[in-house]
Amino acid sequence: MSVRELVVLGTASQVPTRHRNHNGYLLRWDGEGILFDPGEGTQRQMLRAGVAAHDLNRICVTHFHGDHSLGLAGVIQRINLDRVPHEITAHYPRSGQRFFDRLRYATAYRETVGITEAPVDTDGPLARTDGYTLQARRLSHPVESYGYRIVEPDGRRMLPERLAAHGIKGPDVGRIQREGELGGVSLDDVSETRRGQRFAFVMDTRLCDGVYALAEGCDMLVIESTFLDEHEQLAVEHGHLTAGQAARVARDGGVRHLVLTHFSQRYTDPGGISRTESGGEFERQARAAGFDGELSVAHDLLRVPVPKRR
């Protein structure tokens, strides 16, 4: 059975805290695992979350600030130690090639696994598989940064009442799906388009065209909300978003499930777990901004299923 879920490995920006690890996010997409922004400590968080090196097929790094990439060294060495039997592809800004090289070969180890380097230097598609297209868009941050978007191809949804009206049943249903026509009845006559799912990952950035393009029509948007709205000037200065800004992007893009993450250390309890003064404020500000879909204020080791197809 296919599984599509986000496994949150870490949620802290800049520095880890007592309760939040550096960034790290695994997207399970059917039989593939895509690891986004492995910050320091990601290898240990994978163990805690039950994620194995064998689960990984791609690594996507948005940019080369430490909280988004320092875990690369450990993750890559673990991939080799465990002799992962399949190829793994790494995407990252081409301008940071020297940082990727340093992290990949930070210490001595035995290379046993082929890691394909696929640096990003322009907007557009990066890879196509049977299950999705991986796209990138440039963001606005003090260092070059890209967000990532996964788009599943549209499919067809068979309509039982139309099939029955045309007397199509049993093996003939599969035949018309394969051939597109059966006895003068077209596939369009008995089915409708089933929109493919969309997922986007947006980290360190100011508001820009790339943010909106990545979020448009997403079933799930994972997006940084480093600051609360009262600290918007800090967000602008340092190339980040506030909770309200992230929520308005999701609202305007028709996002179904919004996941807020990447919290400044100044906020001790973004999700309200301990009911501290700042607890729940990220959710409150997101709702005040007009987002009325599903909303998760991320915490370490949270698992969030991708919404089912419409």
Side-chain angles (χ1 to χ4, degrees):
M1 190 171 86
S2 64
V3 174
R4 294 184 180 180
E5 69 169 354
L6 175 74
V7 182
V8 179
L9 303 173
T11 57
S13 71
Q14 194 171 40
V15 296
T17 72
R18 291 179 62 190
H19 304 291
R20 297 198 298 277
N21 198 74
H22 262 175
N23 290 280
Y25 309 85
L26 176 78
L27 176 66
R28 295 188 187 274
W29 191 269
D30 300 337
E32 287 202 27
I34 304 172
L35 178 64
F36 294 94
D37 279 7
E40 182 181 354
T42 292
Q43 183 182 182
R44 184 170 183 272
Q45 293 296 94
M46 287 169 60
L47 292 171
R48 296 182 67 200
V51 175
H54 283 65
D55 295 330
L56 306 182
N57 297 87
R58 293 185 190 275
I59 301 172
C60 295
V61 177
T62 58
H63 66 292
F64 283 100
H65 278 154
D67 52 328
H68 298 261
S69 61
L70 280 174
L72 269 171
V75 169
I76 289 174
Q77 291 191 26
R78 185 57 181 266
I79 288 168
N80 283 272
L81 179 65
D82 289 358
R83 296 176 180 267
V84 171
H86 53 261
E87 181 182 41
I88 292 178
T89 302
H91 304 279
Y92 51 87
R94 186 181 296 277
S95 61
Q97 183 69 54
R98 65 192 187 281
F99 301 122
F100 184 86
D101 292 342
R102 291 171 187 168
L103 289 163
R104 182 172 181 177
Y105 300 110
T107 66
Y109 67 98
R110 183 180 179 186
E111 271 192 295
T112 62
V113 178
I115 294 181
T116 300
E117 298 181 9
V120 184
D121 57 12
T122 187
D123 292 348
L126 304 176
R128 287 187 174 90
T129 73
D130 291 340
Y132 63 83
T133 296
L134 176 66
Q135 304 169 339
R137 286 297 297 259
R138 180 76 179 266
L139 299 175
S140 174
H141 197 53
V143 301
E144 187 175 31
S145 183
Y146 285 89
Y148 296 96
R149 176 177 165 97
I150 288 173
V151 179
E152 178 185 33
D154 291 341
R156 302 296 299 181
R157 179 183 290 110
M158 305 305 291
L159 302 173
E161 66 280 5
R162 294 190 189 177
L163 289 166
H166 289 283
I168 298 174
K169 58 184 178 181
D172 284 341
V173 176
R175 184 178 169 190
I176 195 172
Q177 285 180 292
R178 291 190 303 273
E179 299 178 7
E181 190 272 341
L182 181 68
V185 179
S186 73
L187 183 60
D188 287 341
D189 291 334
V190 294
S191 67
E192 63 184 9
T193 300
R194 184 194 66 198
R195 183 177 180 275
Q197 288 187 306
R198 290 157 170 77
F199 170 93
F201 184 79
V202 178
M203 284 294 119
D204 297 17
T205 184
R206 304 174 184 89
L207 288 175
C208 64
D209 290 344
V211 174
Y212 291 100
L214 289 162
E216 181 65 30
C218 276
D219 296 278
M220 178 178 285
L221 170 64
V222 181
I223 188 168
E224 69 122 310
S225 57
T226 307
F227 295 102
L228 291 171
D229 290 346
E230 53 266 33
H231 298 125
E232 182 175 343
Q233 188 55 43
L234 276 176
V236 172
E237 290 173 4
H238 295 284
H240 288 292
L241 299 174
T242 70
Q245 288 175 328
R248 284 188 287 274
V249 168
R251 178 199 66 194
D252 295 347
V255 170
R256 297 175 64 197
H257 195 140
L258 170 64
V259 181
L260 299 179
T261 188
H262 192 271
F263 306 112
S264 167
Q265 62 182 320
R266 71 179 59 229
Y267 310 116
T268 57
D269 187 19
I273 297 170
S274 303
R275 305 299 180 192
T276 63
E277 186 175 345
S278 65
E281 190 64 8
F282 280 82
E283 180 175 359
R284 189 195 69 76
Q285 292 191 2
R287 293 302 187 192
F291 180 75
D292 60 3
E294 293 183 78
L295 172 63
S296 297
V297 179
H299 58 80
D300 289 17
L301 306 184
L302 175 70
R303 306 178 92 95
V304 189
V306 176
K308 293 181 179 179
R309 294 186 181 91
R310 299 178 191 272

